[in-house]
Structures are given as structure tokens and as C-alpha cells.
Amino acid sequence: MDCQNHHPIKTMNSVGITNFFIFLCILIFYFKVEITLLGMLFALVVSFIGCIIFSCFVIMVSTLAFWTTKVEFLEEIIWRIGTFLNYPLTAFPSLARMIFTFFIPIIFTATIPVLIVKNPSSMISLVFYELVFAGILVLLTACLWKRGVKAYESCLLYTSPSPRDLST
């Protein structure tokens, strides 16, 4: 069985949760995959961290609006990349796999959690990489956001009326 990606956190609603449990039942009963509670918990943690990584990319792109006027096309590109979560990583050429693993690591929101459910002990080094990358990305996102807010506030100083202007 190829690791078909199912990403319930992307659509965290009753349909997404229902689909997730149907997916688990198919894995357990049809494909006879042995799933441990530890593997499931580990996969949920990795999925959550993967969602944080993907959200950081979205926030960083959106933060560019502090300096530019149009970032909608970049946001659309990021969301379109997110649609690749519906396909197994093996469906892409090697260059795309490298990009999805190291540069825009959407692999951590779908493929890696499925692999962890199947064999949790084999993915420890990737989980460590994910934690380090998520921490760095959260710090970079926070710094970019603070710089953007500071740039926005300084623009307000130049465009706001002064108290002298209000008295006339």
C-alpha cells in the first residue's frame, strides 16, 4: 500500500473527522495495518506540528502585505501547494519531493504522520528535524510579523494628523 495522505486537520470539521476515522478503519481492517496507540498519538503530534509549519508559511506570506499592496497571488500559491497534501509523496518527481521535504515541508502534515502510524520508531530523526524546523520557522514568523507591525505603525505616524492640525 502506498501512503495515501489523508489530512483531517486541514478540514477540522465533522466531515474531516469522520473521513479520518473511515480512513483508519480502512487501514486497520482492509489493509491489515497494525496501528498502536503510541503510533497514533505520535502521528497526531507530528500532524499538529506540520500544521504549525504550514501556517507559518501562510502567515509569512500574508505579512508581506505590510510592505507591498498585493500578496493575494502568493497566498493563492501557498494554498495551491497545500492541495498537494491529497497525494502521496511518491507521486511527485524527486525534485518536487526534495522541495516538499526541505523548503516547503508539507510532507510533515500528511505523509510523515501516515508513515509514523505504520512504523513509529523509524521516523524519530525526521520528527526531530520537524521540531527544529518548526521552532526556527515560528521565530522567523514572529520576527517578520513584529517588523511588519513596526513598519505599519511608522507609516501611521506620517499619515496621522498632528494635534496642531486638529486645532484649526
Side-chain angles (χ1 to χ4, degrees):
M1 174 185 121
D2 200 4
C3 293
Q4 284 291 338
N5 304 337
H6 187 75
H7 190 25
I9 295 177
K10 184 174 70 173
T11 56
M12 189 56 87
N13 55 31
S14 60
V15 173
I17 293 170
T18 303
N19 289 341
F20 177 72
F21 285 111
I22 290 171
F23 172 74
L24 278 180
C25 290
I26 291 171
L27 271 179
I28 293 169
F29 298 114
Y30 184 75
F31 291 108
K32 308 285 189 237
V33 174
E34 290 187 32
I35 298 176
T36 64
L37 182 60
L38 179 64
M40 280 300 302
L41 291 174
F42 205 38
L44 287 173
V45 168
V46 169
S47 292
F48 180 74
I49 295 169
C51 289
I52 290 172
I53 289 172
F54 190 74
S55 297
C56 283
F57 275 103
V58 172
I59 292 168
M60 287 172 71
V61 168
S62 299
T63 302
L64 294 176
F66 284 121
W67 294 281
T68 63
T69 55
K70 302 218 181 227
V71 294
E72 292 86 14
F73 73 97
L74 289 173
E75 290 173 342
E76 183 66 26
I77 289 171
I78 293 292
W79 286 112
R80 296 280 178 185
I81 288 171
T83 62
F84 294 142
L85 295 171
N86 297 324
Y87 306 103
L89 192 62
T90 56
F92 300 103
S94 60
L95 179 63
R97 281 187 229 157
M98 189 173 71
I99 290 170
F100 293 152
T101 303
F102 298 106
F103 300 108
I104 305 172
I106 62 172
I107 184 176
F108 290 111
T109 59
T111 302
I112 297 299
V114 172
L115 293 173
I116 285 175
V117 166
K118 289 175 64 178
N119 189 1
S121 62
S122 67
M123 297 289 153
I124 298 296
S125 61
L126 275 176
V127 173
F128 178 74
Y129 165 73
E130 179 186 28
L131 282 170
V132 169
F133 188 79
I136 292 169
L137 203 56
V138 165
L139 290 174
L140 286 174
T141 303
C143 289
L144 186 63
W145 177 262
K146 286 179 183 178
R147 290 185 105 185
V149 169
K150 190 180 285 189
Y152 180 73
E153 288 172 347
S154 67
C155 288
L156 287 178
L157 291 175
Y158 294 118
T159 59
S160 300
S162 69
R164 283 181 289 151
D165 295 337
L166 293 175
S167 63
T168 57

